[in-house]
Amino acid sequence: MIKFQNVNKKYDNGYEALKDINLTIEQGEYVAVIGLSGAGKSTLIRCINRMHDISSGSLMVNDVEVSTLKGKEVRKLRRGIGMIFQSFNLVNRISSLKNVLVSFVPDMSMWRKILGLYTKQQKIEALEALDRMNILDKAFIRVDQLSGGQQQRVALARTLAQKPSIILADEPVASLDPITAKQVMTDFQRINEELNMTIIINIHHVDLALEYATRVVGIRSGEIVYDGPASEVTEQILEHIYNGKLEEELSGN
């Protein structure tokens, strides 16, 4: 469970990114966070794994107060939370398999890290993660030779290999063409349903959020203005979230 209680985030320059956020996300939910650029979407999800620190309030992840964690405790938190980025964050010069194996590095001894020595079990688990993402045939191909959609699947496989209970995705389909974006969103949906994994996606494309997520959280100017089932979102609610810019957002511009 993820629980925000009266959470505020104010940056050093004085900008208030989050204002009195109260939000509870249960294990196994598939949540899309929508809103205009600068609304606070990325800040919201990046507070969950302590990429950003909250300024005040309480943020609990699996009964642990995130803001009080230090050092190894923060690293342990992040091991249970996968993170997917728009830019994939892969090492282009190595194969898909080696990119997935990177997920095991934090738990390896120093000499194994230096020599790049992975166990047989780690290699099996990495291959299984690629297979789950239907990209096993690309295991030994350098990722810079893959399409954008294939690279995002490798990134997903890398995240799955670390066996998280939560996946955060920051604009994961923003750089993909419409057909590939739908395929990746379907991958997230399948992972959510098959593994009962919590998926929280910060997404610019409203139509994809409504089609694939089961719950939508709308943010405007750092405040939650809508939180409910995707099936119940109406045009009037979207207009409230986007403050008159709905048509522009729906078109993806």
Side-chain angles (χ1 to χ4, degrees), residues 99-114:
N99 268 279
V100 176
L101 285 168
V102 167
S103 67
F104 299 112
V105 168
D107 297 324
M108 293 167 59
S109 64
M110 184 58 67
W111 69 272
R112 280 188 172 274
K113 290 179 185 179
I114 293 172

Side-chain angles (χ1 to χ4, degrees), residues 230-250:
S231 59
E232 295 180 10
V233 176
T234 65
E235 187 170 325
Q236 288 77 19
I237 293 172
L238 288 175
E239 283 286 359
H240 180 58
I241 295 170
Y242 285 85
N243 196 24
K245 297 185 179 181
L246 174 63
E247 185 175 343
E248 176 185 341
E249 289 299 311
L250 285 173

Side-chain angles (χ1 to χ4, degrees), residues 14-206:
Y15 178 71
E16 291 184 273
L18 299 177
K19 305 171 185 176
D20 198 32
I21 298 295
N22 288 283
L23 177 68
T24 299
I25 297 172
E26 302 288 348
Q27 181 63 37
E29 288 198 84
Y30 186 178
V31 181
V33 182
I34 64 174
L36 288 168
S37 297
K41 304 187 302 297
S42 290
T43 300
L44 180 77
I45 68 170
R46 288 171 183 240
C47 284
I48 295 172
N49 65 354
R50 275 286 295 276
M51 289 184 73
H52 294 323
D53 289 321
I54 64 174
S55 301
S56 62
S58 171
L59 174 51
M60 304 284 289
V61 177
N62 296 331
D63 298 321
V64 174
E65 179 62 58
V66 172
S67 61
T68 64
L69 301 179
K70 299 182 184 299
K72 291 182 179 180
E73 295 172 329
V74 175
R75 291 191 288 274
K76 182 179 178 181
L77 169 79
R78 290 174 177 166
R79 288 297 289 156
I81 303 175
M83 187 76 184
I84 301 293
F85 300 91
Q86 174 183 342
S87 58
F88 316 133
N89 279 25
L90 300 172
V91 182
N92 288 329
R93 67 180 183 276
I94 62 176
S95 69
S96 300
L97 176 59
K98 288 184 178 178
N99 268 279
V100 176
L101 285 168
V102 167
S103 67
F104 299 112
V105 168
D107 297 324
M108 293 167 59
S109 64
M110 184 58 67
W111 69 272
R112 280 188 172 274
K113 290 179 185 179
I114 293 172
L115 297 176
L117 296 177
Y118 300 97
T119 67
K120 179 179 179 180
Q121 183 60 34
Q122 287 172 333
K123 292 176 182 178
I124 290 172
E125 290 179 11
L127 290 169
E128 287 175 345
L130 287 167
D131 190 31
R132 181 175 286 277
M133 296 311 305
N134 299 315
I135 199 168
L136 183 59
D137 60 323
K138 307 297 183 183
F140 300 101
I141 296 177
R142 281 175 47 140
V143 295
D144 57 4
Q145 298 176 20
L146 303 180
S147 68
Q150 291 169 335
Q151 289 186 49
Q152 193 60 287
R153 285 196 175 95
V154 173
L156 267 166
R158 180 183 58 192
T159 296
L160 290 179
Q162 74 183 62
K163 296 181 172 61
S165 62
I166 300 166
I167 289 182
L168 308 176
D170 194 2
E171 296 286 4
V173 298
S175 61
L176 304 178
D177 64 80
I179 293 176
T180 305
K182 281 179 170 285
Q183 292 171 343
V184 171
M185 289 296 288
T186 300
D187 290 331
F188 279 113
Q189 187 179 54
R190 180 168 53 82
I191 291 168
N192 168 255
E193 293 173 352
E194 292 179 357
L195 303 178
N196 191 39
M197 192 173 293
T198 304
I199 308 285
I200 305 173
I201 292 183
N202 156 19
I203 187 167
H204 183 77
H205 298 284
V206 179

